[in-house]
mmCIF file of all heavy atoms in Angstrom:
data_model
loop_
_atom_site.group_PDB
_atom_site.id
_atom_site.type_symbol
_atom_site.label_atom_id
_atom_site.label_comp_id
_atom_site.label_asym_id
_atom_site.label_seq_id
_atom_site.Cartn_x
_atom_site.Cartn_y
_atom_site.Cartn_z
ATOM 1 N N THR A 162 71.262 62.890 45.068
ATOM 2 C CA THR A 162 72.612 62.715 45.603
ATOM 3 C C THR A 162 73.661 63.387 44.734
ATOM 4 O O THR A 162 74.827 63.457 45.125
ATOM 5 C CB THR A 162 72.954 61.215 45.705
ATOM 6 O OG1 THR A 162 72.852 60.618 44.402
ATOM 7 C CG2 THR A 162 71.993 60.523 46.665
ATOM 8 N N ASP A 163 73.275 63.877 43.545
ATOM 9 C CA ASP A 163 74.250 64.526 42.672
ATOM 10 C C ASP A 163 73.650 65.771 42.044
ATOM 11 O O ASP A 163 73.870 66.079 40.900
ATOM 12 C CB ASP A 163 74.700 63.566 41.576
ATOM 13 C CG ASP A 163 75.894 64.123 40.793
ATOM 14 O OD1 ASP A 163 76.696 64.861 41.403
ATOM 15 O OD2 ASP A 163 75.989 63.823 39.595
ATOM 16 N N THR A 164 72.796 66.451 42.820
ATOM 17 C CA THR A 164 72.136 67.644 42.298
ATOM 18 C C THR A 164 72.224 68.734 43.355
ATOM 19 O O THR A 164 73.078 68.718 44.232
ATOM 20 C CB THR A 164 70.673 67.330 41.934
ATOM 21 O OG1 THR A 164 70.028 66.743 43.084
ATOM 22 C CG2 THR A 164 70.578 66.363 40.774
ATOM 23 N N VAL A 165 71.316 69.686 43.302
ATOM 24 C CA VAL A 165 71.399 70.859 44.167
ATOM 25 C C VAL A 165 71.379 70.465 45.643
ATOM 26 O O VAL A 165 72.073 71.032 46.462
ATOM 27 C CB VAL A 165 70.226 71.823 43.866
ATOM 28 C CG1 VAL A 165 70.264 73.006 44.811
ATOM 29 C CG2 VAL A 165 70.306 72.286 42.416
ATOM 30 N N GLY A 166 70.597 69.466 45.994
ATOM 31 C CA GLY A 166 70.443 69.123 47.405
ATOM 32 C C GLY A 166 71.553 68.291 47.985
ATOM 33 O O GLY A 166 71.507 67.915 49.149
ATOM 34 N N SER A 167 72.599 67.987 47.228
ATOM 35 C CA SER A 167 73.587 67.012 47.662
ATOM 36 C C SER A 167 74.721 67.599 48.480
ATOM 37 O O SER A 167 75.503 66.864 49.047
ATOM 38 C CB SER A 167 74.199 66.345 46.425
ATOM 39 O OG SER A 167 74.965 67.273 45.687
ATOM 40 N N ARG A 168 74.866 68.936 48.516
ATOM 41 C CA ARG A 168 76.007 69.594 49.147
ATOM 42 C C ARG A 168 77.318 69.328 48.392
ATOM 43 O O ARG A 168 78.386 69.668 48.861
ATOM 44 C CB ARG A 168 76.212 69.149 50.600
ATOM 45 C CG ARG A 168 74.958 69.072 51.403
ATOM 46 C CD ARG A 168 74.479 70.433 51.813
ATOM 47 N NE ARG A 168 73.252 70.346 52.582
ATOM 48 C CZ ARG A 168 72.660 71.393 53.104
ATOM 49 N NH1 ARG A 168 73.175 72.578 52.951
ATOM 50 N NH2 ARG A 168 71.547 71.261 53.773
ATOM 51 N N ALA A 169 77.232 68.661 47.243
ATOM 52 C CA ALA A 169 78.445 68.370 46.487
ATOM 53 C C ALA A 169 79.055 69.656 45.945
ATOM 54 O O ALA A 169 78.354 70.642 45.718
ATOM 55 C CB ALA A 169 78.127 67.419 45.337
ATOM 56 N N THR A 170 80.358 69.634 45.703
ATOM 57 C CA THR A 170 81.049 70.828 45.212
ATOM 58 C C THR A 170 81.399 70.693 43.744
ATOM 59 O O THR A 170 82.373 71.274 43.275
ATOM 60 C CB THR A 170 82.328 71.068 46.032
ATOM 61 O OG1 THR A 170 83.164 69.893 45.943
ATOM 62 C CG2 THR A 170 81.994 71.356 47.487
ATOM 63 N N VAL A 171 80.629 69.909 43.013
ATOM 64 C CA VAL A 171 80.866 69.753 41.584
ATOM 65 C C VAL A 171 80.450 71.046 40.889
ATOM 66 O O VAL A 171 79.336 71.534 41.085
ATOM 67 C CB VAL A 171 80.057 68.569 41.015
ATOM 68 C CG1 VAL A 171 80.294 68.429 39.520
ATOM 69 C CG2 VAL A 171 80.420 67.292 41.754
ATOM 70 N N THR A 172 81.317 71.620 40.065
ATOM 71 C CA THR A 172 80.985 72.869 39.368
ATOM 72 C C THR A 172 80.157 72.571 38.138
ATOM 73 O O THR A 172 80.102 71.442 37.630
ATOM 74 C CB THR A 172 82.260 73.601 38.939
ATOM 75 O OG1 THR A 172 82.928 72.817 37.943
ATOM 76 C CG2 THR A 172 83.186 73.819 40.122
ATOM 77 N N LEU A 173 79.511 73.610 37.622
ATOM 78 C CA LEU A 173 78.715 73.445 36.411
ATOM 79 C C LEU A 173 79.602 73.033 35.236
ATOM 80 O O LEU A 173 79.204 72.249 34.394
ATOM 81 C CB LEU A 173 77.980 74.746 36.106
ATOM 82 C CG LEU A 173 76.936 75.156 37.146
ATOM 83 C CD1 LEU A 173 76.321 76.483 36.749
ATOM 84 C CD2 LEU A 173 75.870 74.095 37.277
ATOM 85 N N ALA A 174 80.811 73.584 35.178
ATOM 86 C CA ALA A 174 81.730 73.209 34.100
ATOM 87 C C ALA A 174 82.080 71.730 34.189
ATOM 88 O O ALA A 174 82.165 71.021 33.174
ATOM 89 C CB ALA A 174 83.001 74.048 34.172
ATOM 90 N N ASP A 175 82.284 71.218 35.416
ATOM 91 C CA ASP A 175 82.570 69.797 35.588
ATOM 92 C C ASP A 175 81.402 68.957 35.098
ATOM 93 O O ASP A 175 81.585 67.944 34.417
ATOM 94 C CB ASP A 175 82.824 69.480 37.068
ATOM 95 C CG ASP A 175 84.125 70.050 37.576
ATOM 96 O OD1 ASP A 175 85.033 70.268 36.734
ATOM 97 O OD2 ASP A 175 84.235 70.266 38.793
ATOM 98 N N ARG A 176 80.195 69.378 35.442
ATOM 99 C CA ARG A 176 79.027 68.610 35.029
ATOM 100 C C ARG A 176 78.917 68.556 33.510
ATOM 101 O O ARG A 176 78.659 67.506 32.924
ATOM 102 C CB ARG A 176 77.749 69.228 35.604
ATOM 103 C CG ARG A 176 77.623 69.099 37.107
ATOM 104 C CD ARG A 176 76.384 69.858 37.601
ATOM 105 N NE ARG A 176 76.320 69.877 39.039
ATOM 106 C CZ ARG A 176 75.761 68.944 39.788
ATOM 107 N NH1 ARG A 176 75.229 67.890 39.199
ATOM 108 N NH2 ARG A 176 75.755 69.043 41.097
ATOM 109 N N ALA A 177 79.122 69.695 32.864
ATOM 110 C CA ALA A 177 79.009 69.743 31.411
ATOM 111 C C ALA A 177 80.105 68.905 30.750
ATOM 112 O O ALA A 177 79.848 68.164 29.811
ATOM 113 C CB ALA A 177 79.083 71.182 30.923
ATOM 114 N N SER A 178 81.339 68.998 31.270
ATOM 115 C CA SER A 178 82.449 68.286 30.647
ATOM 116 C C SER A 178 82.309 66.779 30.805
ATOM 117 O O SER A 178 82.784 66.017 29.981
ATOM 118 C CB SER A 178 83.781 68.748 31.241
ATOM 119 O OG SER A 178 83.873 68.381 32.606
ATOM 120 N N ARG A 179 81.625 66.356 31.872
ATOM 121 C CA ARG A 179 81.451 64.929 32.100
ATOM 122 C C ARG A 179 80.115 64.426 31.586
ATOM 123 O O ARG A 179 79.718 63.293 31.845
ATOM 124 C CB ARG A 179 81.571 64.622 33.606
ATOM 125 C CG ARG A 179 82.981 64.804 34.125
ATOM 126 C CD ARG A 179 83.094 64.354 35.550
ATOM 127 N NE ARG A 179 82.306 65.168 36.465
ATOM 128 C CZ ARG A 179 82.199 64.910 37.766
ATOM 129 N NH1 ARG A 179 82.809 63.880 38.287
ATOM 130 N NH2 ARG A 179 81.479 65.688 38.537
ATOM 131 N N GLY A 180 79.402 65.276 30.866
ATOM 132 C CA GLY A 180 78.139 64.865 30.278
ATOM 133 C C GLY A 180 76.999 64.809 31.264
ATOM 134 O O GLY A 180 75.982 64.181 31.011
ATOM 135 N N ARG A 181 77.164 65.450 32.440
ATOM 136 C CA ARG A 181 76.097 65.437 33.422
ATOM 137 C C ARG A 181 74.897 66.207 32.895
ATOM 138 O O ARG A 181 75.035 67.245 32.276
ATOM 139 C CB ARG A 181 76.569 66.050 34.739
ATOM 140 C CG ARG A 181 77.655 65.250 35.427
ATOM 141 C CD ARG A 181 77.112 63.893 35.894
ATOM 142 N NE ARG A 181 78.174 63.100 36.489
ATOM 143 C CZ ARG A 181 78.540 63.199 37.754
ATOM 144 N NH1 ARG A 181 77.967 64.086 38.533
ATOM 145 N NH2 ARG A 181 79.476 62.426 38.230
#
Side-chain angles (χ1 to χ4, degrees):
T162 59
D163 190 31
T164 54
V165 177
S167 68
R168 316 283 179 177
T170 57
V171 180
T172 67
L173 296 178
D175 290 335
R176 291 175 187 272
S178 66
R179 290 187 295 177
R181 294 293 177 85

